[in-house]
Amino acid sequence: MVTVDEFNGWESARLRPALLECCDVPAWADALLAARPYRNLDALLDAADRSAADFEPADVEIAVAAHPRIGERRDGRDLGSSWSREEQSCVAADVETVAALDSANRLYEKRFGRVFLICATGLPASDILTAVLLRLGNDEATEAKVIRTELRKIVRLRLQKVIV
């Protein structure tokens, strides 16, 4: 974790890897670094959110591809793997819910061609299952908007883990 002052002063090469763990879109990380200095954490979070709102569809796909399927844990000791495990810790549930979630994930992937993305922090598996089942009814344009919103929530939470 770094302070906003450290974020403002450190070399970009030192900060960029942590930013890419927050959101694996190089242009986004570079834009945040180029816009320094930030007066406080809220200003940085707002800038990150505005930048993420402007993602091209290809950027969204890159960012989503960096996330594991809900219910699956990323192996590894890197920061992103650790965050993923923490964010999905609430997904542990009874065997039937886990099986239903796995099935719904696969239906979603078949329908939309990408993993189901949701800001899972604090959500029980039953709520995640309900969300995936509801979102299966979305058309592509609606789902793209939902994904952007969920991605921005995840980015915001992760940035708050990096910057104090």
Side-chain angles (χ1 to χ4, degrees):
M1 294 179 69
V2 300
T3 66
V4 173
D5 288 338
E6 290 168 334
F7 185 86
N8 287 333
W10 285 359
E11 292 181 25
S12 295
R14 188 172 178 187
L15 298 166
R16 195 169 189 266
L19 290 176
L20 290 174
E21 291 293 346
C22 293
C23 183
D24 194 17
V25 178
W28 172 85
D30 293 342
L32 283 184
L33 292 167
R36 292 180 293 173
Y38 297 97
R39 68 182 178 283
N40 55 36
L41 177 59
D42 287 336
L44 173 58
L45 293 171
D46 289 345
D49 193 52
R50 281 191 309 276
S51 183
D54 293 334
F55 282 166
E56 296 293 325
D59 295 328
V60 173
E61 294 304 318
I62 290 168
V64 171
H67 292 267
R69 178 183 288 131
I70 287 289
E72 293 181 1
R73 307 255 172 132
R74 263 177 63 180
D75 292 329
R77 293 181 167 205
D78 60 284
L79 195 55
S81 295
S82 174
W83 286 342
S84 179
R85 287 189 299 272
E86 180 183 308
E87 292 160 358
Q88 290 201 38
S89 64
C90 58
V91 177
D94 61 87
V95 175
E96 288 132 11
T97 303
V98 170
L101 189 54
D102 183 59
S103 177
N105 273 326
R106 294 185 193 287
L107 287 171
Y108 181 93
E109 290 168 17
K110 185 175 181 181
R111 166 115 167 74
F112 292 108
R114 65 176 92 65
V115 299
F116 173 72
L117 184 74
I118 189 168
C119 184
T121 300
L123 293 179
S126 59
D127 287 1
I128 295 169
L129 177 59
T130 298
V132 70
L133 293 172
L134 288 171
R135 286 172 52 186
L136 279 167
N138 287 346
D139 59 43
E140 182 62 45
T142 301
E143 186 57 18
K145 289 177 187 175
V146 173
I147 288 171
R148 284 176 180 273
T149 299
E150 295 300 316
L151 183 59
R152 288 164 62 189
K153 288 179 196 176
I154 294 166
V155 168
R156 190 173 192 89
L157 286 172
R158 287 184 173 190
L159 263 177
Q160 289 172 319
K161 293 175 184 178
V162 173
I163 312 296
V164 292

